[in-house]
Amino acid sequence: MQRRATASGNNAAASDIDDSQLYKEHWPDLGGSIKDSLHNGCRLTTITKKFPIITWLPKYETSYLLQDFIAGFTVGLTTIPQAIAYGVVAGLEPQYGLYSAFMGCFTYIIFGSCKDVTIATTAIMALMVHPYAIQSPDYAALICFLAGCLILLMGLLNLGVLVRFISIPVITGFTIAAATTIGSAQINNLFGMATPSNDLVPAWKHFFTHLNAIGWYDAALGVSSLIFLFLMKKTKDIPFGNRIMWKYVSLSRNALTVIIGTSLAFGLSRDGVQPFRVTGNITAGLPPFRPPPFSTNVNGTDVSFSEMIHTVGASLASIPMVAILEVVAIAKAFSKGKIVNASQEMIALGMCNIMGSFVSSMPVTGSFTRTAVNNASGVKTPLGGAVTGALVLMALAFLTKTFYFIPKCTLASIIIAAMVSLVELDKVRDTWKAKKKDLFPFVATLIPAMFWSLEYGILCGIMANISYILYSSAKPQIWLNNEKILEREVGLVDVKQKLDFASAEYLKEKVVKFVNLNVRGSRNLVVIKGQEINSIDYTVAMNLISLREDLKILNCDLICWNWNVSSAGVVCRLENQMRDMFRFEKSLEEVVHEYLQTHSNTSSENSLYTLA
């Protein structure tokens, strides 16, 4: 970039900005970039990156096999009872949760990039799909397919960067609201009562207004199971004995709880009479592999594809978004120093949902609980998911009669225990300590998600995030103070943020107001520092031109000092005569000195105002 400045006549200290050179330096060859992107996209290495199994499987060592088997088996013992429970939460028969689990495990092996992540149905996904699944299981499979297509498309377009625009307070608020709602919905099942609603307030209202309907056997088993789960979680911290054994005992707590509860229900049943409310019949065998349903029948009425889409509505956007947030957040939490490719995780999640829809699966995503179990079990590669998937398939084939006797209060205790671990109050405390303003998007997410719906809750949180960003952008930090330069009084105003269309008018108002309040002579100078202004847009450029004209009316001159050349070029391409307004590669004292020489006819008592 060629920049020249002279110190005499009308061209004093003016910069000559070469437009053609500016374009070459600051704007790449767009056609070449597109060509290179297309060429890179067709390379074999780029294609293989979409299938991580091609990278890790040839490097697989036999020493990994035992560790992957142990991890996969342990995760399977956690997955089976949770999948059954979350199928019930979704308003489906229990086997649908198992369908979701086994297909998610097998598909993620091929496309997943994080060895620890376990894909299956989760409590949040179950709750979000519940309003539609209770009408027909076909709704769950269709949502699973459409959500998978959208997630896959976003991953292929490398839109994983979008998750960066959702802050941790929003995710925390959403997670706490979902965990509270899901846990509250199970309080009735825990005490042996029917659950009329999965919403927070109706669930508790029903509980307190129907205390006389408590099943005392269920209540005793449910509360005991809950206490047992919390105690078992602490066994990994026992300081004596074999610590590895205690760790696996702790990891198997869900399976042990289900085994104990099922054994009691089976042993205490007499002539078909049960002391507990049990899960009931579960369809045995593998699900049929067929395309997802694009129409259905609800209560004898045919429902077309367009009517199904209209019924699901905004959930077609919120469910994929929540699924992406969960899997990316989990992958980052267990990446252990590695960079997580969010777009690849979206591709994997999209394929898991698409393939799952062919076996009547409900929407799936990453499970924090099962991923933590996988990690703690020392899994070495994603192949551990094959063991988990195989275990789920075996359960579907051989254990469905046993599942009949699983008490609902036992499943409720497992869900409540899992939800308690998701209520991360320590993050709320840390947010309060670090920056109290960040509690605004947290509360904006939490309240609507708990008392309105999860979809609108996260939407409100995102809107709060956006409004926060826009507010900060519209009012950048501008410092104004007075200084003496060359024995002249100088006013300094430093712009501390980038300028864009939202802040253009704000800068102009601040400058004009400052000059009106501080004018003391017949000739004044306004200098805007530009070291921290990396880029401007058309609106800023137009406001800058307008500002110069307004300052002339106030008998002021405007100089832009040490601006980024590309930013200066935006203004100069609009009006060529604005070139003399910019000064480069000179100190502020030199700029002031040249200005004084140029306007030597000005009286010595004139005040000099510099807005930096």
Side-chain angles (χ1 to χ4, degrees):
M1 178 69 58
Q2 183 181 5
R3 296 193 289 256
R4 299 189 301 271
T6 60
S8 60
N10 294 332
N11 295 324
S15 297
D16 184 7
I17 301 174
D18 186 340
D19 283 344
S20 61
Q21 192 72 11
L22 184 146
Y23 272 109
K24 289 179 182 179
E25 181 173 338
H26 295 281
W27 296 92
D29 180 2
L30 185 59
S33 297
I34 295 175
K35 187 187 298 182
D36 292 342
S37 298
L38 292 174
H39 179 68
N40 291 336
C42 295
R43 289 179 179 174
L44 181 61
T45 54
T46 303
I47 295 174
T48 55
K49 285 181 180 178
K50 306 301 180 186
F51 298 87
I53 191 174
I54 299 176
T55 302
W56 63 262
L57 189 58
K59 301 176 183 178
Y60 194 86
E61 300 179 12
T62 54
S63 59
Y64 296 162
L65 196 58
L66 178 61
Q67 203 66 45
D68 283 342
F69 178 82
I70 293 173
F73 186 80
T74 307
V75 173
L77 294 179
T78 303
T79 298
I80 291 171
Q82 284 193 339
I84 293 172
Y86 296 152
V88 175
V89 170
L92 298 167
E93 294 180 15
Q95 68 268 16
Y96 284 94
L98 296 172
Y99 297 163
S100 306
F102 92 83
M103 185 56 76
C105 290
F106 282 123
T107 307
Y108 189 80
I109 295 172
I110 300 172
F111 299 97
S113 61
C114 182
K115 65 181 179 64
D116 300 292
V117 171
T118 302
I119 301 293
T121 185
T122 64
I124 294 176
M125 287 288 100
L127 183 62
M128 295 184 75
V129 81
H130 176 268
Y132 318 108
I134 57 174
Q135 300 180 50
S136 170
D138 290 340
Y139 274 101
L142 180 62
I143 293 172
C144 186
F145 175 75
L146 296 177
C149 291
L150 181 59
I151 296 170
L152 176 63
L153 179 62
M154 293 175 68
L156 292 174
L157 294 176
N158 291 320
L159 296 180
V161 67
L162 294 179
V163 299
R164 299 179 187 174
F165 291 92
I166 301 179
S167 65
I168 290 178
V170 170
I171 298 174
T172 303
F174 175 81
T175 304
I176 291 177
T180 304
T181 303
I182 294 166
S184 299
Q186 295 302 313
I187 195 67
N188 290 280
N189 279 329
L190 188 70
F191 286 88
M193 296 185 286
T195 302
S197 174
N198 272 8
D199 294 328
L200 178 67
V201 175
W204 283 104
K205 181 180 179 181
H206 181 271
F207 175 74
F208 284 113
T209 56
H210 294 77
L211 293 176
N212 58 336
I214 289 178
W216 295 106
Y217 288 106
D218 291 279
L221 178 59
V223 173
S224 299
S225 298
L226 191 59
I227 295 172
F228 177 75
L229 285 166
F230 287 137
L231 292 176
M232 288 289 289
K233 188 176 182 180
K234 297 295 183 181
T235 56
K236 66 180 186 297
D237 301 323
I238 294 176
F240 54 85
N242 191 327
R243 301 198 68 176
I244 296 178
M245 181 193 70
W246 287 126
K247 182 181 76 170
Y248 282 109
V249 168
S250 175
L251 294 175
S252 304
R253 59 186 179 273
N254 287 337
L256 291 174
T257 304
V258 169
I259 291 171
I260 294 171
T262 304
S263 299
L264 284 173
F266 178 77
L268 296 176
S269 62
R270 293 290 184 272
D271 300 324
V273 178
Q274 274 288 343
F276 310 110
R277 296 176 66 244
V278 294
T279 301
N281 291 317
I282 296 180
T283 303
L286 303 179
F289 191 85
R290 59 190 179 193
F294 294 99
S295 62
T296 188
N297 187 286
V298 180
N299 298 325
T301 303
D302 291 332
V303 181
S304 65
F305 176 71
S306 59
E307 291 173 325
M308 293 177 75
I309 295 297
H310 183 266
T311 300
V312 176
S315 293
L316 284 177
S318 60
I319 289 177
M321 180 171 60
V322 172
I324 291 170
L325 284 176
E326 283 198 83
V327 75
V328 173
I330 291 169
K332 286 183 177 180
F334 291 91
S335 60
K336 292 186 177 179
K338 296 180 181 179
I339 301 300
V340 174
N341 186 340
S343 295
Q344 181 58 38
E345 286 302 302
M346 290 164 64
I347 291 173
L349 182 61
M351 289 303 301
C352 287
N353 278 281
I354 291 173
M355 295 303 297
S357 68
F358 283 80
V359 293
S360 303
S361 167
M362 53 201 274
V364 295
T365 185
S367 165
F368 190 90
T369 303
R370 278 157 275 172
T371 301
V373 171
N374 207 18
N375 176 266
S377 302
V379 69
K380 293 295 184 181
T381 69
L383 196 62
V387 180
T388 302
L391 200 62
V392 174
L393 284 177
M394 291 176 62
L396 276 168
F398 305 113
L399 298 178
T400 50
K401 290 184 178 179
T402 304
F403 293 158
Y404 175 92
F405 293 98
I406 299 177
K408 289 187 176 182
C409 60
T410 300
L411 294 178
S413 68
I414 292 173
I415 295 172
I416 292 173
M419 293 306 101
V420 169
S421 65
L422 291 179
V423 180
E424 300 174 305
L425 296 179
D426 56 325
K427 286 189 177 181
V428 181
R429 181 199 62 214
D430 292 342
T431 304
W432 174 266
K433 289 167 59 178
K435 192 173 184 180
K436 294 178 177 60
K437 286 184 179 179
D438 286 340
L439 286 176
F440 169 63
F442 166 77
V443 174
T445 305
L446 179 69
I447 301 302
M450 288 182 67
F451 299 103
W452 191 1
S453 72
L454 292 177
E455 294 90 341
Y456 290 113
I458 197 164
L459 182 62
C460 290
I462 293 172
M463 293 301 296
N465 262 352
I466 293 174
S467 63
Y468 188 81
I469 294 172
L470 290 178
Y471 180 81
S472 300
S473 176
K475 289 194 173 184
Q477 293 183 356
I478 299 178
W479 295 85
L480 299 94
N481 61 289
N482 293 320
E483 220 176 84
K484 274 199 173 182
I485 299 179
L486 300 180
E487 298 182 354
R488 298 277 185 159
E489 193 178 59
V490 176
L492 296 177
V493 180
D494 197 358
V495 180
K496 291 297 183 181
Q497 290 178 224
K498 62 173 286 189
L499 295 176
D500 52 33
F501 65 92
S503 56
E505 192 66 30
Y506 181 72
L507 172 66
K508 180 180 175 181
E509 290 175 359
K510 294 281 287 186
V511 171
V512 172
K513 183 178 180 180
F514 183 82
V515 171
N516 275 308
L517 293 175
N518 293 277
V519 168
R520 296 181 183 177
S522 58
R523 191 75 181 181
N524 303 281
L525 175 65
V526 173
V527 179
I528 303 179
K529 286 175 62 177
Q531 287 96 326
E532 299 186 41
I533 303 175
N534 297 322
S535 64
I536 64 172
D537 55 26
Y538 170 77
T539 306
V540 175
M542 289 300 299
N543 272 270
L544 202 59
I545 295 171
S546 174
L547 174 61
R548 192 184 194 192
E549 297 301 319
D550 290 347
L551 292 181
K552 282 183 179 179
I553 297 174
L554 298 174
N555 201 25
C556 291
D557 290 321
L558 177 64
I559 287 178
C560 296
W561 175 56
N562 277 355
W563 278 50
N564 181 287
V565 178
S566 61
S567 299
V570 176
V571 180
C572 297
R573 286 191 293 272
L574 283 175
E575 289 195 19
N576 192 57
Q577 62 269 28
M578 300 294 289
R579 292 173 180 267
D580 64 349
M581 184 174 67
F582 294 93
R583 302 290 190 275
F584 302 96
E585 298 177 350
K586 291 181 180 293
S587 68
L588 186 56
E589 289 77 8
E590 289 174 325
V591 171
V592 172
H593 179 70
E594 289 178 352
Y595 176 79
L596 292 175
Q597 284 186 328
T598 305
H599 300 85
S600 58
N601 58 333
T602 305
S603 60
S604 60
E605 66 272 9
N606 284 348
S607 298
L608 180 63
Y609 287 88
T610 303
L611 275 77

